[in-house]
Amino acid sequence: MDLKDIRREIDTIDSQLLPLFVQRMDCAKKVAEAKKRDGIPVHNAAREEEILDRISAKAGLYSGAARIVYRTIMSESSALQHRLLGSGGTLRKTIAAAPKVPAFPESVACLGGPGSYSHSVVSSLYPRAQVQFYNRFDDIFRCVEQGNAGLAVVPMENSSAGSVSDVYSLLMQCRFYIVAAKTIRVHQCLAAKESSPASVRCIQSKKIALQQCSRRLSALHLPLQPVSSTSAAAKAAAEDASIAAVCSESAAHKYGLHILERDLQNTDNNATRFAVISRQLCIPDNAEKISLCFNVAHTTGSLNAVLSRFAAAGMNLTKIESRPIAGKDFEYDFYLDFTGNVRDPAVLELLCSLQEELPRFHFLGNYCEVHTE
Amino acid sequence: MDLKDIRREIDTIDSQLLPLFVQRMDCAKKVAEAKKRDGIPVHNAAREEEILDRISAKAGLYSGAARIVYRTIMSESSALQHRLLGSGGTLRKTIAAAPKVPAFPESVACLGGPGSYSHSVVSSLYPRAQVQFYNRFDDIFRCVEQGNAGLAVVPMENSSAGSVSDVYSLLMQCRFYIVAAKTIRVHQCLAAKESSPASVRCIQSKKIALQQCSRRLSALHLPLQPVSSTSAAAKAAAEDASIAAVCSESAAHKYGLHILERDLQNTDNNATRFAVISRQLCIPDNAEKISLCFNVAHTTGSLNAVLSRFAAAGMNLTKIESRPIAGKDFEYDFYLDFTGNVRDPAVLELLCSLQEELPRFHFLGNYCEVHTE
């Protein structure tokens, strides 16, 4: 049989299949009305499993495929019902109440000392704010929690070394919001007190910076010592000629160091993503990134049923990470970033539905992402 | 309208919809035959987008939902075609050639020194092997690469602190296989040279161990110093009474330390997952976990189209992580773990199809996961 003929056959099938799908969605509308009238919840796991079992039994050879297609159909049907029933009222109110312009922060907390990468992000975003430096992430979060700083700038992920897991944990624990994000290209230098490397006996930096430069550093055959930040390493190098620091050019200048080597990082395209975090939600009109954390039921295909809903709302996934839930074996939270704006009705309805449906659902913010050299 | 009546209507629609889906899958079979005969590749992005556009234009109000359902149908159809065309021959051969029993390793590499958590995993799995200790992950991987150790034991993730990102990067770089995994519960102690904490001025440990105990440690108000391993911290504490170590009870005993406090970790259920890595693939008959890394096209819904295929093959997702690809902005690799055995035909066919379809696809191993107290 010719490919063209088979395709014509497929098109004929589709012309009958689609109207049935549309009819099925119309029925979901009627179901929503009946459920609203009688006060019945949208989700009915028993009925869903019953349908899936019947369908896959009837689909013969294609039972696995039929189950997946039907799970997708039913997930779209329950999304429609949630939309019609106006689910997720609390989130709806929180989003509606969020200001579009952040309050000007008098003080911003960040990691390290003058010249750290976090500091350069603070200076570019909030040039007039006072900067409070800390050596530990939990101190930064505590500072914001207690209102001693209006905002904080923290690193979220690096293109070569991955997510900064302690920042994610703290973000969830404190229930803060991300109100902006900025990605900067990282150029790591090797810097020391003297202009010759002869006296250097060890190399210090933040652990993630040492990882970013692992290729070049391993060729130097010197012991590596992780310290709390790149600027702390620069400070140590300024005090001791036997220590070289892996740090930014600006940190090297701030501490009067000589730059022994530039662009130490493994790839030329090494970038770090920083988030601005706040106790208060703030959603600019042009916000284009949404961060979420949720937990799905532990059944086959439950994650992709949820992901397909995001795709249906036109939202692109830009990050996903499963994280074991502390204290629970084999249960996971998912951290996700999507493109989108919550003032788009399709996006808002989806998030409100999911807040109702999922056992755990946290909206972490909707913000702008700035990229610079 | 009564809920029962609407459900009857839905069941009637389903009884017409399912046979059309089965017919459509039968057509996919014929398409595979025609493509095989004429040497045409399975994937035809232009035809797929044309169908999706036509379908969503016709679906009116339900255009987003229809697009998602159709993407799922077409993804199942192309999976069937790949299966019939016997795609992914290289992977098929690699898996067929893999031994079921690993060669006995004379030597196993791991992190830290005697008494480290990695060491305890090596001792339990390979009690007769010689152990080679290293302070850095890249040295461990190099040791296996050069054949100086047959296997290595490395930590992959922790239930409170997340994935060990440098191990994942090295695993991909070296193209090693995971041949076994073991999860152990971690009980962290605070240990020092003297039996009273009076002389302790700072606390040392591996960074991830300090994170795991952050709550109790922050109450102690002592400076925290990250070092290369928990056993390196124990060694330092044995040499200097002003240093306390966060380490295992066995490391404390090995270095003759007094245990000042037990169960320092934030949660009682703190577990770390270790992987046994090897240059050679080995798949035991009872292997039940599959690790993969792949990259999908950057279009809306492309990840969940792939995830739904795993669900169709009955494979449960137990881990997912997107990782920015070094040197490329906004392109991601996905690291995933699924339940399953590649000797199950549905699983093998799926992996072979995906190897053919996806721009980057790495099979990282199929192994047993051991859990212990």
Side-chain angles (χ1 to χ4, degrees), chain B residues 9-117:
Chain B
E9 200 180 328
I10 293 177
D11 293 345
T12 310
I13 294 170
D14 286 346
S15 69
Q16 301 165 50
L17 206 155
L18 185 68
L20 287 169
F21 171 71
V22 169
Q23 274 177 46
R24 209 186 186 284
M25 291 298 276
D26 284 336
C27 286
K29 237 190 219 169
K30 292 187 235 168
V31 168
E33 281 158 22
K35 284 182 175 171
K36 191 171 191 173
R37 191 186 58 215
D38 304 339
I40 301 168
V42 168
H43 192 65
N44 185 339
R47 159 114 180 128
E48 281 190 9
E49 286 308 311
E50 186 198 307
I51 294 180
L52 287 176
D53 289 345
R54 192 174 58 213
I55 291 292
S56 59
K58 279 194 193 161
L61 270 176
Y62 310 125
S63 73
R67 186 176 267 271
I68 288 307
V69 168
Y70 254 79
R71 198 186 280 282
T72 310
I73 292 175
M74 290 195 298
S75 145
E76 289 303 324
S77 153
S78 84
L80 176 66
Q81 293 179 45
H82 277 291
R83 195 151 67 234
L84 296 170
L85 293 173
S87 299
T90 332
L91 181 59
R92 209 176 285 270
K93 275 180 214 151
T94 309
I95 288 172
K100 296 182 177 184
V101 182
F104 173 76
E106 274 182 40
S107 182
V108 177
C110 79
L111 195 74
S116 69
Y117 288 101

Side-chain angles (χ1 to χ4, degrees), chain A residues 154-218:
Chain A
V154 286
M156 298 294 285
E157 59 182 317
N158 177 276
S159 55
S160 63
S163 287
V164 183
S165 45
D166 19 5
V167 168
Y168 268 93
S169 305
L170 285 162
L171 195 60
M172 294 304 306
Q173 264 170 46
C174 301
R175 310 221 163 181
F176 286 174
Y177 291 102
I178 300 173
V179 295
K182 180 168 177 159
T183 298
I184 60 165
R185 274 174 213 279
V186 171
H187 297 279
Q188 302 285 18
C189 297
L190 187 69
K193 198 175 179 180
E194 289 167 17
S195 61
S196 133
S199 63
V200 174
R201 294 286 166 272
C202 79
I203 297 171
Q204 289 191 357
S205 195
K206 196 166 153 57
K207 191 183 164 204
I208 206 165
L210 296 173
Q211 285 168 20
Q212 286 163 15
C213 306
S214 59
R215 215 166 301 148
R216 177 65 188 128
L217 292 178
S218 74

